[in-house]
Amino acid sequence: GYYIFAGILTIISVVTDLFDGIIARKCNAVTKFGAKYDALADKTFAISVMISLSVVNLLIIIPIILDIIIGIMNSIFLVKGRDVKTSKVGKVKTLFLDSLICSLFFTNYNIDSLINFLFISTIILQILSILRYFKKYKKTA
């Protein structure tokens, strides 16, 4: 029942994660370990919050499934020792997904058109990410 508070905490988490990445790159403090586990932490965070939000909006199951597929594909590349760099599409996808997640906490404020835009855009970007993984996998297989 504390959607506003949870939404604010989620926004703070998303913003601090964004700044963490920016600061790491600016200070040349990026490591392979950090890159791999930051991505894993981001996936775990997004999926767990989306599962919680599926009570508010059952359609959120679609981005959950797509993000799990992306996470599995990413993990396969990591296990096989392949380079897994986040593409620009992946970064934009994460921005839209995080925005969608944050906006779902505020559904009582008549922002349905924003949520619909973020929902559709996120799904399109997730599908593009999945196709990119397939293309990359085909090249390296």
Side-chain angles (χ1 to χ4, degrees), residues 3-83:
Y3 290 110
I4 301 301
F5 181 67
I8 291 168
L9 284 179
T10 303
I11 291 169
I12 291 169
S13 297
V14 166
V15 170
T16 55
D17 182 53
L18 173 72
F19 283 119
D20 170 58
I22 291 170
I23 292 168
R25 283 187 289 281
K26 291 261 187 216
C27 295
N28 202 21
V30 177
T31 64
K32 286 182 182 182
F33 176 85
K36 287 178 187 177
Y37 288 98
D38 183 63
L40 177 64
D42 291 348
K43 283 271 178 270
T44 304
F45 174 76
I47 290 170
S48 61
V49 173
M50 284 190 294
I51 288 171
S52 302
L53 285 170
S54 65
V55 230
V56 176
N57 187 333
L58 199 55
L59 284 176
I60 200 72
I61 290 173
I62 297 168
I64 292 171
I65 292 168
L66 292 172
D67 229 41
I68 289 171
I69 291 169
I70 292 168
I72 290 170
M73 295 176 92
N74 194 350
S75 297
I76 290 169
F77 274 99
L78 282 174
V79 167
K80 292 188 174 201
R82 304 244 165 70
D83 185 28

